[in-house]
Amino acid sequence: MNAPVTRRNAVLGIAVAATSLAAPSILRAQSAGRVVVVGGGFGGAACARALARADAKLQVTLIEPNQTYISCPFSNEVIAGLREIEAQQFGYDKLAAGGIGIVTQAATGIDTQTRRVTTGDGTTFGYDRLVLSPGIDFHFEALPGYDAASETMPHAWKAGAQTLLLRRQLEAMADGGTIAIAIPANPSRCPPAPYERASLIAHYLKSRKPRSKVLILDAKDAFSQQRLFEKAWKELYGDMIERVALSQGGRVTSVDPTTRTIVTEFGNYTPDVANVIPPQRAGRIAAIAGAADATGWCPIDPVTFESKLVPNVHVVGDACLGGGIPKSASAASAQGRACAGAIVNLLAGRAPDAPRLTGVCYNVVAPGYGFSLSGNYEPRGDIFAEVEGGATSPVDAPRELRAREAAEAERWFETITADTFG
Ligand code: FAD
């Protein structure tokens, strides 16, 4: 039986009935320039948009299971009650209006031999080039007990229901309670964001539940912008935030959701609220495509973002092994756009240009108090390396600069979401 063909797919002529896939070369010859993008987050949506803008003749299809994307950047503000989740939500209407075929399904299978993607409803999509930007999934095997724990010990590392659950738990906690934040080792999504979260939770507690504590259980000894964070914590929150680093036994080795116990190398903790962020790997579809290696992440050629493991498949965003580039929305969006440029060149038989990517990361530790880190990255061998031109906020900056950087963070969010989602 043929797979269903939706109206939009039929219009675009890109859905391929399952029984007709025996002759992929003929199909490709009939419709060259088909690019399928899996994942409509910062990397995938930016890539799809840049592809459609670069070449109106390309057939660009974006496969994403959710009608609305919920942004992780600024979701720590939602947890701390400073912002509502609605401000985090973005639809795909503008992308559709720009000629991109939006398929509201999850990709469930990828055949890299015949170059086709299957979605949850059984439809298949042929491609000349495939872009994967599925973000992260959790590496449950690396944290025994967690696979059944997200309802009691929310990670809130994918924005949405988890963000709101953690906020509700925080709101329900009595004054004098402890919230523990368990932070995994790198590589992980947005390395500074757990510390920003600790800061904003402390901000919430300071005014509402001042006898409470934030306990950070950390699988790292050092972290990004550490001096800036620690100075801000002292200045704003006194000793409300306590951090147990890796060498002090901070690495979480297992959890027990029935007793809300967090087990570390040096002892057990039973906090009132447990925000456990598990170790991560590339979104599952990357492994299904054969693009993820033993690390769980996807090695790529940094000039084209093409997978080192499967041809004609490109990986951008958190899922790829980007070398020196932190896993951030800023990087994902820049990678998505650079990857689009490379694909347009490859399809036209031209050599792709080596990209120079720039990224900026803002941390807001209280309303009106922010700092930033920016970097430039270029391909060096198999990875991206940081090159000159990056900057970090000075540790001893006046409060006016902190206020200015907090305002810039808001503008950055408005700009990147407008650039990505329209
Ligand atoms: P995502 O944005 O997660 O998008 C992946 C998309 O793929 C999702 O929409 C998902 O539904 C879809 N998908 C997954 N599997 C499939 C499938 N099988 N089929 C189809 N679709 C699929 N970054 C910053 O730059 N600045 C910040 O201030 C910042 N703050 C953050 C705060 C927090 C609390 C967190 C957790 C992260 C933060 N980040 C920040 C990081 C940022 O959110 C990620 O780096 C960014 O979202 C990565 O983009 P992506 O496209 O790789 O993945």
Side-chain angles (χ1 to χ4, degrees):
M1 199 172 90
N2 288 355
V5 177
T6 63
R7 191 185 62 80
R8 176 183 296 284
N9 302 335
V11 170
L12 290 171
I14 50 175
V16 180
T19 49
S20 66
L21 287 163
S25 56
I26 296 169
L27 289 172
R28 275 199 297 279
Q30 286 169 344
S31 54
R34 297 164 306 168
V35 185
V36 173
V37 181
V38 171
F42 282 100
C47 184
R49 233 175 157 211
L51 283 163
R53 281 180 171 168
D55 185 349
K57 291 197 295 297
L58 276 182
Q59 285 183 353
V60 184
T61 305
L62 178 65
I63 299 177
E64 160 63 51
N66 302 304
Q67 279 183 335
T68 305
Y69 178 76
I70 307 181
S71 160
C72 283
F74 276 79
S75 66
N76 286 331
E77 274 80 351
V78 177
I79 293 165
L82 295 166
R83 190 178 175 92
E84 295 309 318
I85 196 87
E86 288 72 21
Q88 301 294 107
Q89 297 176 341
F90 302 90
Y92 297 101
D93 296 359
K94 299 265 169 51
L95 276 77
I100 298 164
I102 309 291
V103 176
T104 310
Q105 288 287 325
T108 51
I110 292 173
D111 185 332
T112 54
Q113 296 291 313
T114 57
R115 297 193 199 175
R116 64 180 197 264
V117 180
T118 305
T119 52
D121 63 356
T123 311
T124 61
F125 298 84
Y127 64 82
D128 297 298
R129 293 274 165 179
L130 173 66
V131 181
L132 300 178
S133 186
I136 54 152
D137 266 320
F138 298 111
H139 199 337
F140 292 122
E141 298 87 329
L143 188 58
Y146 193 78
D147 55 346
S150 66
E151 287 306 305
T152 39
M153 305 171 116
H155 51 78
W157 220 235
K158 292 187 182 189
Q162 281 276 306
T163 312
L164 295 175
L165 177 61
L166 183 56
R167 173 170 163 167
R168 284 197 302 276
Q169 289 190 354
L170 196 60
E171 286 167 353
M173 188 179 85
D175 189 12
T178 296
I179 166 161
I181 303 178
I183 304 177
N186 288 336
S188 69
R189 160 172 282 183
C190 204
Y195 309 96
E196 180 190 71
R197 176 174 291 176
S199 316
L200 291 177
I201 287 177
H203 172 77
Y204 166 82
L205 296 175
K206 190 177 164 182
S207 57
R208 319 269 175 102
K209 299 166 190 179
R211 293 188 298 113
S212 307
K213 286 250 174 231
V214 181
L215 172 68
I216 297 175
L217 300 170
D218 204 337
K220 299 192 284 275
D221 271 329
F223 62 92
S224 169
Q225 300 205 287
Q226 182 163 356
R227 287 181 61 214
L228 282 148
F229 274 110
E230 288 178 345
K231 180 167 184 284
W233 291 345
K234 206 168 198 174
E235 211 172 300
L236 301 171
Y237 307 122
D239 57 4
M240 190 176 248
I241 299 175
E242 183 195 341
R243 175 170 174 261
V244 183
L246 172 69
S247 51
Q248 299 164 313
R251 190 174 81 86
V252 175
T253 53
S254 68
V255 295
D256 181 351
T258 52
T259 54
R260 213 186 307 108
T261 302
I262 301 178
V263 179
T264 69
E265 279 166 351
F266 289 10
N268 294 359
Y269 297 85
T270 310
D272 300 280
V273 175
N275 170 210
V276 177
I277 305 167
Q280 297 140 42
R281 57 185 165 202
R284 208 170 106 69
I285 194 70
I288 291 172
D293 69 10
T295 65
W297 304 100
C298 304
I300 51 157
D301 170 349
V303 174
T304 59
F305 297 87
E306 188 163 2
S307 166
K308 292 267 185 195
L309 304 179
V310 274
N312 306 306
V313 175
H314 302 248
V315 187
V316 297
D318 287 356
C320 77
L321 275 170
I325 306 188
K327 295 186 184 301
S328 67
S330 203
S333 174
Q335 290 171 3
R337 280 177 275 123
C339 177
I343 288 176
V344 168
N345 279 328
L346 288 168
L347 289 174
R350 294 188 296 261
D353 304 319
R356 181 184 172 93
L357 305 181
T358 58
V360 60
C361 172
Y362 289 96
N363 292 295
V364 177
V365 294
Y369 192 123
F371 43 82
S372 66
L373 178 68
S374 65
N376 299 315
Y377 309 90
E378 285 179 1
R380 291 279 187 278
D382 282 353
I383 56 160
F384 277 99
E386 187 163 4
V387 295
E388 73 295 337
T392 182
S393 305
V395 175
D396 291 316
R399 278 298 276 269
E400 299 82 68
L401 180 65
R402 302 282 178 246
R404 212 177 321 136
E405 295 219 80
E408 278 170 19
E410 300 261 359
R411 280 197 295 279
W412 167 84
F413 185 70
E414 281 166 24
T415 306
I416 194 168
T417 51
D419 284 352
T420 308
F421 301 101

